[in-house]
Amino acid sequence: MTDMHHAFSRRHLLAASATAAAGGVLTGPPAQAKAPLSNTQAPYFYRFKIGSIEATVVSDGPLPLGEPSGTFLGVSKEEVAKMLSDNFLPSDTVTLEQNALVTNTGDRLVLFDNGMGAEKMFGPTTGKLVASLKQAGIDPKDIDALVITHAHIDHVGGMMGEGGARNFPNAQIYISQADHDFWTDEGKLGTPMKAFVEVARKNLGPNRDRIVFVKDGQEVVPGVQALAIPGHTIGHTMYMITSGEKSICNVGDLTHHQVLLLERPRLEFAYDTDPKQAAATRVKALDMLAAQKIPLLAYHFPWPGIGHVAKHGDGFRYFPSPMQMVL
Ligand SMILES: [Zn+2]
């Protein structure tokens, strides 16, 4: 039987490579790889099926929040660090993904949320959405509908291009009136919400004539039902997408983190408009998804953000779905 400790001993490996580096007799001089290091990641899209709908997740790029204790509230810094390290995640910084969903029903192409656009509030890694769409073979001009969960900077920032042209020139836009009115309100420009309001105004303002306000329970486009989940923002909306027997719930920012805001769903999140209402809504909606075993697509979960939630103690656990590599 193999001595496991010896087989996986890091010290042993280090000693061997040191011998090699010193030109020792064990492994000889360092080998030359046949190919250089790529230094590039795979294309940032993932395709899967929901019944007969062809769905594609496209990314706007990672969104680094930095040190987590100022963002995830109601728990000590030490406890946040432990929850993260217990889940093999860095404990000193949190990075969210931005998973935007595209659905093609065969007669309509729908994009849910559209990333940070040119805004660099969270650094240089965001703003990849249009490039990701192109990698996925999707022309932004072909998008028929932009369905919006809420008017935050990382969900509507990509509507307008840098030069003031529309990134999705042929799309109708669907958003709740409550969120539209709240985040485009000129009266909030003198408040700490200023940066978010400016971006919402810049992206929603020029598109006012294309906006259709969605109501709770309404079927906004065929097979897509709006469900109000107020709290993170006052008009925050998730979308249940159904084809035949299959459904997936595009939950937007119902929960921002697969550990911190699932294991402890009542924690508060600094970017919530009404953190107490957000926590109550989070528990209620996650309870429903867990009880009905409906998969979710979470905008900020680890790429590509698709999985199930199940009740676990006082909170929930996330079970990422296996990738569908054959459609
Ligand atoms: Zn967000």
Side-chain angles (χ1 to χ4, degrees):
M1 200 160 158
T2 316
D3 178 343
M4 294 282 275
H5 174 74
H6 193 73
F8 293 113
S9 162
R10 221 170 277 198
R11 198 184 308 158
H12 179 75
L13 285 174
L14 287 172
S17 58
T19 310
V25 293
L26 274 182
T27 50
Q32 294 286 324
K34 297 275 189 299
L37 304 185
S38 296
N39 287 320
T40 55
Q41 188 45 278
Y44 223 161
F45 74 90
Y46 167 62
R47 191 153 282 145
F48 66 107
K49 294 294 283 270
I50 310 159
S52 63
I53 293 174
E54 185 177 272
T56 308
V57 189
V58 288
S59 180
D60 192 53
L63 191 158
L65 286 182
E67 206 285 310
S69 64
T71 310
F72 299 89
L73 312 174
V75 63
S76 73
K77 189 172 175 170
E78 292 69 31
E79 214 171 332
V80 170
K82 183 172 188 319
M83 287 168 76
L84 291 169
S85 62
D86 283 353
N87 285 275
F88 304 95
L89 294 167
S91 58
D92 56 346
T93 188
V94 165
T95 299
L96 306 180
E97 284 290 337
Q98 296 185 91
N99 308 315
L101 177 67
V102 181
T103 57
N104 190 345
T105 57
D107 59 10
R108 207 165 322 198
L109 194 61
V110 182
L111 170 63
F112 295 80
D113 295 342
N114 50 69
M116 292 281 293
E119 308 301 327
K120 295 297 175 198
M121 187 187 284
F122 295 94
T125 57
T126 62
K128 297 189 190 316
L129 186 84
V130 170
S132 299
L133 282 168
K134 286 182 178 157
Q135 287 181 331
I138 298 169
D139 187 335
K141 287 201 288 298
D142 292 340
I143 302 284
D144 297 305
L146 294 178
V147 176
I148 308 296
T149 59
H150 62 298
H152 271 175
I153 186 167
D154 51 325
H155 298 257
V156 301
M159 236 173 242
M160 301 299 289
E162 263 183 287
R166 292 180 169 99
N167 278 334
F168 308 99
N170 299 308
Q172 191 98 54
I173 298 162
Y174 299 85
I175 187 171
S176 72
Q177 181 162 13
D179 239 55
H180 173 275
D181 292 357
F182 186 96
W183 293 105
T184 55
D185 175 14
E186 210 174 352
K188 294 189 181 76
L189 288 170
T191 74
M193 289 178 269
K194 178 175 185 282
F196 278 41
V197 173
E198 278 175 349
V199 172
R201 288 171 62 83
K202 185 177 136 195
N203 286 277
L204 291 166
N207 287 301
R208 184 63 192 85
D209 58 330
R210 291 158 181 244
I211 293 175
V212 176
F213 291 131
V214 307
K215 293 188 175 60
D216 185 24
Q218 185 189 2
E219 188 175 42
V220 291
V221 294
V224 177
Q225 187 187 20
L227 297 167
I229 45 167
H232 176 55
T233 61
I234 63 167
H236 191 204
T237 303
M238 65 183 187
Y239 296 94
M240 191 70 82
I241 300 156
T242 302
S243 170
E245 299 291 298
K246 301 283 184 190
S247 290
I248 189 167
C249 192
N250 187 15
V251 300
D253 285 7
L254 179 68
T255 162
H256 288 76
H257 198 277
Q258 73 280 11
V259 175
L260 301 177
L261 291 178
L262 274 190
E263 286 183 11
R264 301 281 295 273
R266 290 167 190 83
L267 285 191
E268 295 179 5
F269 186 67
Y271 293 92
D272 289 341
T273 303
D274 183 339
K276 299 254 182 300
Q277 186 188 30
T281 298
R282 183 155 50 239
V283 171
K284 194 174 153 196
L286 290 172
D287 263 336
M288 184 272 284
L289 295 172
Q292 297 195 31
K293 297 186 163 63
I294 296 171
L296 55 78
L297 188 151
Y299 192 76
H300 291 301
F301 275 17
W303 173 257
I306 302 164
H308 285 83
V309 288
K311 282 188 85 91
H312 183 72
D314 286 341
F316 299 88
R317 253 189 79 191
Y318 178 55
F319 296 85
S321 295
M323 286 186 154
Q324 295 176 17
M325 300 317 281
V326 177
L327 296 183

